Structures are given as structure tokens and as C-alpha cells.
Amino acid sequence: QVQLVESGGGLVQAGGSLRLSCAASGRTFDSIAMGWFRQARGKEREFVAVINGSGARADYADSVKGRFTISRDNAKNTMYLLMNSLKPEDTAVYYCAAERDAYPLLHRARDEYNYWGQGTQVTVSS
């Protein structure tokens, strides 16, 4: 059974940093794109970042570009999201997700992802 487990969330002041982790189990994802999404209270779940299977390519939402960095360690079956210069508007539950199959394109749409973690809360105080 595939499981994705996020960790690393918490409370941080504006301008601070956090690093989220997503540990995968049940299968290997070294050829599969994985991504981060977030959902603020009362809002739709939105795309944050995606990384391809090898880690060579990534795509970011405009709102986080230049501040967040997605990476992965396939030997550990783990993906990361380093978040710098955090803003109050980054406050949300952050979810990691993985596709089932390998594709050449990087996807931003939620529907392209088959596996989801339970989420980790990130709160940025002003």
C-alpha cells in the first residue's frame, strides 16, 4: 500500500524558513513526478511545485518562485520543499502528491496525481 507522509510543518515568523519532507513507502517513485500542493482555509487546494523523477526538472507556482525550492532524494524515497522568505499568505496545509505513472511533462493539475499525503500545517505569523 502506497503511503506519503509529510513532516516539517509548524509556526514561523514572516521572513523565516521551513523545510518540509515527504516520505514515500509502498513503492519507489524514482521515475515518477512528485509535487507539493497547499490549501488555505476556505480556499481551493492549489499547486505549489513539482519535480520530475530524476530531480533534474522542476516547476513552481508564480507565488513561490524564487522563494521555495523542491528537491528529492530517490535513495531515501523522499521529497523536500525548502521554503524561504515565508509570508503570512503562505499559511496553509501543505500536501505532497505523486503520480502513478511516468510522463514527460510536469503537471500542475490536482487530477494528475494519484497518491496524496495527509498534509502538514504551515503557519506564518506577521
Side-chain angles (χ1 to χ4, degrees):
Q1 182 179 355
V2 174
Q3 269 196 312
L4 302 178
V5 179
E6 302 96 336
S7 61
L11 173 64
V12 64
Q13 287 190 327
S17 299
L18 281 175
R19 190 180 81 153
L20 305 183
S21 298
C22 172
S25 61
R27 63 165 285 183
T28 57
F29 288 95
D30 54 4
S31 63
I32 306 296
M34 298 181 72
W36 289 97
F37 291 76
R38 67 186 182 186
Q39 186 167 18
R41 189 172 298 178
K43 294 189 175 181
E44 296 275 320
R45 191 173 300 189
E46 64 175 4
F47 166 78
V48 175
V50 58
I51 189 167
N52 75 330
S54 69
R57 292 187 296 125
D59 183 31
Y60 297 89
D62 288 345
S63 59
V64 308
K65 199 172 292 183
R67 299 188 297 122
F68 290 11
T69 303
I70 190 171
S71 62
R72 63 193 297 165
D73 184 340
N74 286 338
K76 297 181 179 179
N77 223 21
T78 301
M79 176 180 65
Y80 305 97
L81 185 68
L82 176 61
M83 305 184 293
N84 293 323
S85 303
L86 282 161
K87 305 175 182 179
E89 51 264 44
D90 295 317
T91 295
V93 177
Y94 283 71
Y95 298 89
C96 70
E99 299 186 2
R100 180 179 293 120
D101 300 307
Y103 298 99
L105 299 178
L106 296 178
H107 296 127
R108 293 187 171 198
R110 294 194 308 264
D111 291 348
E112 299 289 345
Y113 294 82
N114 306 97
Y115 306 109
W116 291 86
Q118 82 290 348
T120 185
Q121 176 70 46
V122 171
T123 303
V124 184
S125 63
S126 56

mmCIF file of all heavy atoms in Angstrom, residues 67-101:
data_model
loop_
_atom_site.group_PDB
_atom_site.id
_atom_site.type_symbol
_atom_site.label_atom_id
_atom_site.label_comp_id
_atom_site.label_asym_id
_atom_site.label_seq_id
_atom_site.Cartn_x
_atom_site.Cartn_y
_atom_site.Cartn_z
ATOM 1 N N ARG A 67 11.456 31.722 -3.989
ATOM 2 C CA ARG A 67 11.471 31.584 -2.520
ATOM 3 C C ARG A 67 11.479 30.119 -2.085
ATOM 4 O O ARG A 67 12.070 29.782 -1.060
ATOM 5 C CB ARG A 67 10.245 32.268 -1.916
ATOM 6 C CG ARG A 67 10.162 33.750 -2.200
ATOM 7 C CD ARG A 67 9.026 34.404 -1.403
ATOM 8 N NE ARG A 67 7.716 33.865 -1.779
ATOM 9 C CZ ARG A 67 6.873 33.290 -0.911
ATOM 10 N NH1 ARG A 67 7.203 33.184 0.369
ATOM 11 N NH2 ARG A 67 5.696 32.830 -1.321
ATOM 12 N N PHE A 68 10.809 29.261 -2.834
ATOM 13 C CA PHE A 68 10.710 27.845 -2.495
ATOM 14 C C PHE A 68 11.586 27.023 -3.443
ATOM 15 O O PHE A 68 11.729 27.369 -4.622
ATOM 16 C CB PHE A 68 9.273 27.352 -2.625
ATOM 17 C CG PHE A 68 8.317 27.882 -1.598
ATOM 18 C CD1 PHE A 68 8.649 28.921 -0.742
ATOM 19 C CD2 PHE A 68 7.037 27.339 -1.496
ATOM 20 C CE1 PHE A 68 7.755 29.414 0.200
ATOM 21 C CE2 PHE A 68 6.128 27.814 -0.570
ATOM 22 C CZ PHE A 68 6.484 28.858 0.272
ATOM 23 N N THR A 69 12.126 25.923 -2.922
ATOM 24 C CA THR A 69 12.914 25.005 -3.723
ATOM 25 C C THR A 69 12.466 23.579 -3.452
ATOM 26 O O THR A 69 12.471 23.131 -2.298
ATOM 27 C CB THR A 69 14.412 25.128 -3.413
ATOM 28 O OG1 THR A 69 14.844 26.482 -3.633
ATOM 29 C CG2 THR A 69 15.231 24.203 -4.311
ATOM 30 N N ILE A 70 12.085 22.886 -4.512
ATOM 31 C CA ILE A 70 11.679 21.486 -4.403
ATOM 32 C C ILE A 70 12.879 20.614 -4.755
ATOM 33 O O ILE A 70 13.668 20.952 -5.651
ATOM 34 C CB ILE A 70 10.469 21.189 -5.320
ATOM 35 C CG1 ILE A 70 9.891 19.807 -5.032
ATOM 36 C CG2 ILE A 70 10.815 21.376 -6.782
ATOM 37 C CD1 ILE A 70 8.564 19.550 -5.768
ATOM 38 N N SER A 71 13.026 19.506 -4.053
ATOM 39 C CA SER A 71 14.123 18.583 -4.332
ATOM 40 C C SER A 71 13.689 17.183 -3.908
ATOM 41 O O SER A 71 12.623 17.004 -3.295
ATOM 42 C CB SER A 71 15.396 19.000 -3.586
ATOM 43 O OG SER A 71 15.200 18.972 -2.177
ATOM 44 N N ARG A 72 14.503 16.200 -4.246
ATOM 45 C CA ARG A 72 14.177 14.830 -3.866
ATOM 46 C C ARG A 72 15.460 14.037 -3.702
ATOM 47 O O ARG A 72 16.485 14.334 -4.327
ATOM 48 C CB ARG A 72 13.249 14.178 -4.886
ATOM 49 C CG ARG A 72 13.827 14.030 -6.263
ATOM 50 C CD ARG A 72 12.741 13.672 -7.278
ATOM 51 N NE ARG A 72 12.134 12.374 -6.974
ATOM 52 C CZ ARG A 72 10.965 11.959 -7.518
ATOM 53 N NH1 ARG A 72 10.312 12.742 -8.342
ATOM 54 N NH2 ARG A 72 10.491 10.760 -7.203
ATOM 55 N N ASP A 73 15.377 13.003 -2.872
ATOM 56 C CA ASP A 73 16.452 12.054 -2.672
ATOM 57 C C ASP A 73 15.866 10.681 -2.964
ATOM 58 O O ASP A 73 15.183 10.091 -2.108
ATOM 59 C CB ASP A 73 16.968 12.145 -1.234
ATOM 60 C CG ASP A 73 18.158 11.245 -0.970
ATOM 61 O OD1 ASP A 73 18.361 10.281 -1.737
ATOM 62 O OD2 ASP A 73 18.893 11.496 -0.004
ATOM 63 N N ASN A 74 16.090 10.183 -4.156
ATOM 64 C CA ASN A 74 15.469 8.915 -4.548
ATOM 65 C C ASN A 74 16.009 7.729 -3.753
ATOM 66 O O ASN A 74 15.315 6.725 -3.599
ATOM 67 C CB ASN A 74 15.647 8.695 -6.045
ATOM 68 C CG ASN A 74 14.734 9.598 -6.857
ATOM 69 O OD1 ASN A 74 13.704 10.082 -6.371
ATOM 70 N ND2 ASN A 74 15.110 9.851 -8.102
ATOM 71 N N ALA A 75 17.225 7.833 -3.269
ATOM 72 C CA ALA A 75 17.769 6.752 -2.442
ATOM 73 C C ALA A 75 16.963 6.606 -1.152
ATOM 74 O O ALA A 75 16.878 5.516 -0.592
ATOM 75 C CB ALA A 75 19.227 7.020 -2.128
ATOM 76 N N LYS A 76 16.378 7.716 -0.698
ATOM 77 C CA LYS A 76 15.562 7.693 0.517
ATOM 78 C C LYS A 76 14.074 7.706 0.213
ATOM 79 O O LYS A 76 13.260 7.717 1.139
ATOM 80 C CB LYS A 76 15.905 8.898 1.396
ATOM 81 C CG LYS A 76 17.337 8.906 1.905
ATOM 82 C CD LYS A 76 17.590 10.126 2.783
ATOM 83 C CE LYS A 76 19.018 10.126 3.317
ATOM 84 N NZ LYS A 76 19.303 11.316 4.153
ATOM 85 N N ASN A 77 13.722 7.729 -1.081
ATOM 86 C CA ASN A 77 12.310 7.795 -1.475
ATOM 87 C C ASN A 77 11.612 8.971 -0.792
ATOM 88 O O ASN A 77 10.471 8.850 -0.311
ATOM 89 C CB ASN A 77 11.600 6.480 -1.139
ATOM 90 C CG ASN A 77 10.671 6.019 -2.258
ATOM 91 O OD1 ASN A 77 10.797 6.416 -3.413
ATOM 92 N ND2 ASN A 77 9.723 5.160 -1.907
ATOM 93 N N THR A 78 12.290 10.093 -0.764
ATOM 94 C CA THR A 78 11.814 11.261 -0.030
ATOM 95 C C THR A 78 11.927 12.517 -0.890
ATOM 96 O O THR A 78 12.894 12.683 -1.636
ATOM 97 C CB THR A 78 12.613 11.454 1.277
ATOM 98 O OG1 THR A 78 12.461 10.281 2.089
ATOM 99 C CG2 THR A 78 12.120 12.665 2.056
ATOM 100 N N MET A 79 10.922 13.376 -0.760
ATOM 101 C CA MET A 79 10.896 14.655 -1.453
ATOM 102 C C MET A 79 10.886 15.769 -0.409
ATOM 103 O O MET A 79 10.408 15.564 0.722
ATOM 104 C CB MET A 79 9.636 14.750 -2.322
ATOM 105 C CG MET A 79 9.443 16.071 -3.026
ATOM 106 S SD MET A 79 7.935 16.117 -4.026
ATOM 107 C CE MET A 79 6.663 15.966 -2.784
ATOM 108 N N TYR A 80 11.410 16.931 -0.799
ATOM 109 C CA TYR A 80 11.519 18.046 0.142
ATOM 110 C C TYR A 80 10.963 19.324 -0.477
ATOM 111 O O TYR A 80 10.897 19.472 -1.698
ATOM 112 C CB TYR A 80 12.980 18.285 0.513
ATOM 113 C CG TYR A 80 13.682 17.059 1.053
ATOM 114 C CD1 TYR A 80 14.459 16.256 0.223
ATOM 115 C CD2 TYR A 80 13.551 16.698 2.388
ATOM 116 C CE1 TYR A 80 15.092 15.121 0.710
ATOM 117 C CE2 TYR A 80 14.178 15.565 2.885
ATOM 118 C CZ TYR A 80 14.954 14.787 2.041
ATOM 119 O OH TYR A 80 15.572 13.664 2.528
ATOM 120 N N LEU A 81 10.612 20.253 0.387
ATOM 121 C CA LEU A 81 10.256 21.602 -0.048
ATOM 122 C C LEU A 81 10.903 22.568 0.937
ATOM 123 O O LEU A 81 10.483 22.650 2.097
ATOM 124 C CB LEU A 81 8.746 21.815 -0.085
ATOM 125 C CG LEU A 81 8.302 23.169 -0.645
ATOM 126 C CD1 LEU A 81 8.614 23.255 -2.151
ATOM 127 C CD2 LEU A 81 6.814 23.415 -0.398
ATOM 128 N N LEU A 82 11.922 23.271 0.476
ATOM 129 C CA LEU A 82 12.571 24.297 1.286
ATOM 130 C C LEU A 82 11.854 25.615 1.022
ATOM 131 O O LEU A 82 11.790 26.070 -0.127
ATOM 132 C CB LEU A 82 14.050 24.403 0.938
ATOM 133 C CG LEU A 82 14.823 25.516 1.647
ATOM 134 C CD1 LEU A 82 14.799 25.328 3.147
ATOM 135 C CD2 LEU A 82 16.248 25.588 1.117
ATOM 136 N N MET A 83 11.334 26.205 2.073
ATOM 137 C CA MET A 83 10.555 27.430 1.949
ATOM 138 C C MET A 83 11.279 28.558 2.666
ATOM 139 O O MET A 83 11.445 28.517 3.894
ATOM 140 C CB MET A 83 9.163 27.223 2.552
ATOM 141 C CG MET A 83 8.421 26.033 1.968
ATOM 142 S SD MET A 83 6.739 25.866 2.589
ATOM 143 C CE MET A 83 7.069 25.461 4.296
ATOM 144 N N ASN A 84 11.729 29.530 1.901
ATOM 145 C CA ASN A 84 12.419 30.692 2.447
ATOM 146 C C ASN A 84 11.549 31.944 2.300
ATOM 147 O O ASN A 84 10.597 31.956 1.520
ATOM 148 C CB ASN A 84 13.745 30.919 1.728
ATOM 149 C CG ASN A 84 14.754 29.820 1.986
ATOM 150 O OD1 ASN A 84 14.829 29.279 3.088
ATOM 151 N ND2 ASN A 84 15.535 29.479 0.969
ATOM 152 N N SER A 85 11.911 32.980 3.029
ATOM 153 C CA SER A 85 11.205 34.266 2.948
ATOM 154 C C SER A 85 9.699 34.065 3.057
ATOM 155 O O SER A 85 8.919 34.610 2.254
ATOM 156 C CB SER A 85 11.552 34.980 1.636
ATOM 157 O OG SER A 85 12.942 35.173 1.516
ATOM 158 N N LEU A 86 9.295 33.313 4.025
ATOM 159 C CA LEU A 86 7.880 32.981 4.171
ATOM 160 C C LEU A 86 7.041 34.210 4.470
ATOM 161 O O LEU A 86 7.471 35.137 5.165
ATOM 162 C CB LEU A 86 7.696 31.928 5.258
ATOM 163 C CG LEU A 86 8.045 30.510 4.806
ATOM 164 C CD1 LEU A 86 8.287 29.602 6.003
ATOM 165 C CD2 LEU A 86 6.935 29.945 3.932
ATOM 166 N N LYS A 87 5.829 34.199 3.937
ATOM 167 C CA LYS A 87 4.886 35.300 4.100
ATOM 168 C C LYS A 87 3.626 34.767 4.775
ATOM 169 O O LYS A 87 3.314 33.571 4.668
ATOM 170 C CB LYS A 87 4.516 35.866 2.729
ATOM 171 C CG LYS A 87 5.688 36.308 1.878
ATOM 172 C CD LYS A 87 5.217 36.732 0.499
ATOM 173 C CE LYS A 87 6.386 37.143 -0.389
ATOM 174 N NZ LYS A 87 5.924 37.543 -1.736
ATOM 175 N N PRO A 88 2.867 35.632 5.421
ATOM 176 C CA PRO A 88 1.610 35.170 6.039
ATOM 177 C C PRO A 88 0.685 34.477 5.035
ATOM 178 O O PRO A 88 -0.029 33.539 5.406
ATOM 179 C CB PRO A 88 1.005 36.464 6.580
ATOM 180 C CG PRO A 88 2.182 37.323 6.886
ATOM 181 C CD PRO A 88 3.172 37.017 5.792
ATOM 182 N N GLU A 89 0.713 34.910 3.792
ATOM 183 C CA GLU A 89 -0.153 34.289 2.785
ATOM 184 C C GLU A 89 0.297 32.888 2.385
ATOM 185 O O GLU A 89 -0.394 32.206 1.631
ATOM 186 C CB GLU A 89 -0.268 35.182 1.534
ATOM 187 C CG GLU A 89 1.048 35.652 0.963
ATOM 188 C CD GLU A 89 1.432 37.042 1.449
ATOM 189 O OE1 GLU A 89 1.292 37.343 2.664
ATOM 190 O OE2 GLU A 89 1.886 37.842 0.590
ATOM 191 N N ASP A 90 1.440 32.444 2.871
ATOM 192 C CA ASP A 90 1.870 31.062 2.662
ATOM 193 C C ASP A 90 1.224 30.108 3.672
ATOM 194 O O ASP A 90 1.388 28.893 3.569
ATOM 195 C CB ASP A 90 3.394 30.939 2.774
ATOM 196 C CG ASP A 90 4.117 31.685 1.671
ATOM 197 O OD1 ASP A 90 3.681 31.609 0.508
ATOM 198 O OD2 ASP A 90 5.134 32.342 1.987
ATOM 199 N N THR A 91 0.512 30.655 4.647
ATOM 200 C CA THR A 91 -0.148 29.827 5.646
ATOM 201 C C THR A 91 -1.171 28.906 4.991
ATOM 202 O O THR A 91 -2.048 29.364 4.265
ATOM 203 C CB THR A 91 -0.844 30.710 6.691
ATOM 204 O OG1 THR A 91 0.151 31.452 7.414
ATOM 205 C CG2 THR A 91 -1.654 29.875 7.667
ATOM 206 N N ALA A 92 -1.022 27.614 5.230
ATOM 207 C CA ALA A 92 -1.898 26.617 4.607
ATOM 208 C C ALA A 92 -1.513 25.230 5.119
ATOM 209 O O ALA A 92 -0.483 25.062 5.775
ATOM 210 C CB ALA A 92 -1.757 26.646 3.093
ATOM 211 N N VAL A 93 -2.345 24.268 4.794
ATOM 212 C CA VAL A 93 -1.955 22.868 4.945
ATOM 213 C C VAL A 93 -1.252 22.470 3.653
ATOM 214 O O VAL A 93 -1.792 22.678 2.556
ATOM 215 C CB VAL A 93 -3.171 21.961 5.202
ATOM 216 C CG1 VAL A 93 -2.729 20.500 5.286
ATOM 217 C CG2 VAL A 93 -3.883 22.384 6.483
ATOM 218 N N TYR A 94 -0.059 21.924 3.794
ATOM 219 C CA TYR A 94 0.739 21.537 2.633
ATOM 220 C C TYR A 94 0.657 20.027 2.448
ATOM 221 O O TYR A 94 0.863 19.253 3.399
ATOM 222 C CB TYR A 94 2.184 21.973 2.818
ATOM 223 C CG TYR A 94 2.383 23.443 2.570
ATOM 224 C CD1 TYR A 94 1.886 24.392 3.461
ATOM 225 C CD2 TYR A 94 3.031 23.906 1.426
ATOM 226 C CE1 TYR A 94 2.028 25.743 3.232
ATOM 227 C CE2 TYR A 94 3.189 25.265 1.185
ATOM 228 C CZ TYR A 94 2.684 26.178 2.082
ATOM 229 O OH TYR A 94 2.837 27.523 1.838
ATOM 230 N N TYR A 95 0.367 19.622 1.210
ATOM 231 C CA TYR A 95 0.215 18.218 0.859
ATOM 232 C C TYR A 95 1.269 17.808 -0.169
ATOM 233 O O TYR A 95 1.528 18.565 -1.116
ATOM 234 C CB TYR A 95 -1.153 17.970 0.247
ATOM 235 C CG TYR A 95 -2.317 18.258 1.154
ATOM 236 C CD1 TYR A 95 -2.898 19.528 1.209
ATOM 237 C CD2 TYR A 95 -2.856 17.249 1.957
ATOM 238 C CE1 TYR A 95 -3.976 19.793 2.046
ATOM 239 C CE2 TYR A 95 -3.932 17.505 2.786
ATOM 240 C CZ TYR A 95 -4.487 18.776 2.821
ATOM 241 O OH TYR A 95 -5.559 19.028 3.645
ATOM 242 N N CYS A 96 1.824 16.623 0.004
ATOM 243 C CA CYS A 96 2.642 16.086 -1.068
ATOM 244 C C CYS A 96 1.800 15.102 -1.871
ATOM 245 O O CYS A 96 0.818 14.537 -1.370
ATOM 246 C CB CYS A 96 3.907 15.423 -0.542
ATOM 247 S SG CYS A 96 3.685 13.880 0.348
ATOM 248 N N ALA A 97 2.170 14.941 -3.124
ATOM 249 C CA ALA A 97 1.408 14.100 -4.030
ATOM 250 C C ALA A 97 2.352 13.444 -5.028
ATOM 251 O O ALA A 97 3.430 13.973 -5.310
ATOM 252 C CB ALA A 97 0.365 14.939 -4.762
ATOM 253 N N ALA A 98 1.917 12.320 -5.566
ATOM 254 C CA ALA A 98 2.720 11.603 -6.557
ATOM 255 C C ALA A 98 1.814 11.053 -7.651
ATOM 256 O O ALA A 98 0.660 10.685 -7.385
ATOM 257 C CB ALA A 98 3.498 10.474 -5.905
ATOM 258 N N GLU A 99 2.333 11.017 -8.855
ATOM 259 C CA GLU A 99 1.596 10.408 -9.947
ATOM 260 C C GLU A 99 1.809 8.901 -9.918
ATOM 261 O O GLU A 99 2.712 8.399 -9.260
ATOM 262 C CB GLU A 99 2.060 11.004 -11.272
ATOM 263 C CG GLU A 99 1.820 12.498 -11.366
ATOM 264 C CD GLU A 99 2.135 13.083 -12.726
ATOM 265 O OE1 GLU A 99 2.504 12.326 -13.623
ATOM 266 O OE2 GLU A 99 1.994 14.305 -12.873
ATOM 267 N N ARG A 100 0.980 8.176 -10.620
ATOM 268 C CA ARG A 100 1.106 6.720 -10.660
ATOM 269 C C ARG A 100 2.111 6.281 -11.718
ATOM 270 O O ARG A 100 2.853 5.330 -11.535
ATOM 271 C CB ARG A 100 -0.243 6.064 -10.947
ATOM 272 C CG ARG A 100 -0.163 4.534 -11.003
ATOM 273 C CD ARG A 100 -1.517 3.940 -11.275
ATOM 274 N NE ARG A 100 -2.435 4.162 -10.157
ATOM 275 C CZ ARG A 100 -3.580 4.819 -10.255
ATOM 276 N NH1 ARG A 100 -3.962 5.335 -11.407
ATOM 277 N NH2 ARG A 100 -4.355 4.957 -9.201
ATOM 278 N N ASP A 101 2.116 6.990 -12.849
ATOM 279 C CA ASP A 101 2.962 6.595 -13.976
ATOM 280 C C ASP A 101 3.904 7.735 -14.353
ATOM 281 O O ASP A 101 3.700 8.881 -13.964
ATOM 282 C CB ASP A 101 2.097 6.221 -15.180
ATOM 283 C CG ASP A 101 1.161 5.067 -14.875
ATOM 284 O OD1 ASP A 101 1.655 4.019 -14.407
ATOM 285 O OD2 ASP A 101 -0.058 5.233 -15.073
#
